[in-house]
Amino acid sequence: MDALCIAGREFRSRLIVGTGKYRSFQVMARAHEASGAEIVTVAVRRVNLTDRSQESLLDYIDRDRYFILPNTAGCYTADEAIRTARLAREIGLSHWVKLEVIGDEKTLFPDNFELVKATEVLAREGFVVMPYTNDDLIAARRLIDAGAAAVMPLAAPIGSGLGIQNPANLRILREMITDVPLIVDAGVGTASDAAIAMELGADAVLMNTGIAAAQDPVQMAEAMKHAVIAGRKAYLAGRMPKKLYATASSPLEGVVR
């Protein structure tokens, strides 16, 4: 499959996976391996970063094999998110950040106003900023103008597993945003959701709960890997046009009657 390029860095896999909600760190590690992913996102505020005598999920992520993408999950203001991103960089995780600024505790929808503010500050400080946002073209453009290296629109609310709720918006985003990668984030529940996101033109898909909450996370991780590959290939191939009426699979031209 063709490479995914973010901020000048290439990745072979277009599937990005998370680290939350797994039954154990061991299952998480096996799921990561089955997914074929190269980028693993880690919630900075939910990881033991100081007491090395205690077990940490970071102990189960091979830094030579996976690129760690810190995220600012749990932050509700731009200032909180900025401090969290700086902390991740200071302790040596990465100067890349999946930027989350949540605006509503029940829906976990992003606060795009605070998101733009945080993006501006972090981009000026040399961070590679990948903001989680709504599937909204204007918000995406504002984030790109603020210095975002990618935009990550939701498919559905975080952890809902509802799949692609607004394919028209994702199609518009794909058509109108060509200068940075478009990564569908949140709401993917099963392999067909991932395939649809890729068929709509997403450059990559980020998921956590869809794998971690499956009855068999390892098998679901492998299914997601194949779905992303299939969806990407279908997008590049270009689907046939939809027609209201039937067309014979075997053309009748030249048939002897």
Side-chain angles (χ1 to χ4, degrees):
M1 189 160 60
D2 58 320
L4 168 66
C5 185
I6 306 173
R9 179 164 181 161
E10 290 192 349
F11 301 92
R12 295 183 303 277
S13 174
R14 290 176 178 267
L15 175 60
I16 303 171
V17 294
T19 52
K21 301 182 180 179
Y22 284 94
R23 292 190 289 274
S24 69
F25 291 146
Q26 291 82 0
V27 171
M28 179 194 76
R30 290 169 54 215
H32 287 174
E33 182 176 4
S35 74
E38 295 169 271
I39 304 175
V40 175
T41 185
V42 174
V44 179
R45 300 184 70 183
R46 296 170 184 160
V47 174
N48 171 27
L49 300 172
T50 54
D51 186 358
R52 299 306 297 163
S53 67
Q54 299 296 316
E55 189 177 51
S56 168
L57 69 83
L58 293 176
D59 299 331
Y60 292 85
I61 301 174
D62 183 350
R63 300 286 291 273
D64 294 328
R65 181 173 184 177
Y66 300 106
F67 179 80
I68 291 184
L69 175 64
N71 70 61
T72 61
C75 294
Y76 284 80
T77 68
D79 287 342
E80 275 188 301
I82 291 166
R83 287 196 301 270
T84 302
R86 288 171 176 165
L87 173 62
R89 181 169 65 178
E90 286 170 10
I91 64 173
L93 284 182
S94 182
H95 69 285
W96 288 44
V97 60
K98 179 196 170 190
L99 185 63
E100 296 183 33
V101 184
I102 299 302
D104 179 73
E105 194 168 351
K106 184 176 180 62
T107 64
L108 300 181
F109 285 150
D111 184 331
N112 288 323
F113 301 100
E114 293 289 288
L115 202 58
V116 170
K117 287 166 56 178
T119 299
E120 288 174 341
V121 172
L122 292 172
R124 282 200 305 267
E125 295 183 4
F127 282 87
V128 174
V129 185
M130 300 166 61
Y132 159 70
T133 183
N134 291 317
D135 56 349
D136 177 83
L137 174 63
I138 308 308
R141 283 176 168 168
R142 293 283 173 85
L143 290 165
I144 294 168
D145 291 343
V151 288
M152 307 178 74
L154 55 80
I158 292 174
S160 67
L162 289 171
I164 311 299
Q165 292 297 291
N166 199 334
N169 274 14
L170 293 181
R171 287 177 61 194
I172 290 169
L173 284 166
R174 175 69 292 163
E175 182 178 334
M176 302 296 286
I177 294 176
T178 57
D179 44 352
V180 301
L182 182 69
I183 302 172
V184 169
D185 180 12
V188 170
T190 191
S192 58
D193 300 332
I196 290 170
M198 297 302 294
E199 288 175 7
L200 289 169
D203 292 296
V205 177
L206 188 152
M207 66 185 73
N208 179 71
T209 309
I211 295 174
Q215 293 182 33
D216 184 338
V218 177
Q219 188 156 277
M220 182 61 80
E222 185 176 3
M224 293 295 191
K225 175 179 72 174
H226 293 302
V228 167
I229 292 171
R232 178 64 177 175
K233 288 183 178 292
Y235 173 73
L236 294 176
R239 67 157 292 143
M240 62 168 285
K242 295 182 180 181
K243 301 177 181 179
L244 183 60
Y245 299 105
T247 302
S249 297
S250 300
L252 297 178
E253 292 80 1
V255 173
V256 178
R257 296 180 182 275

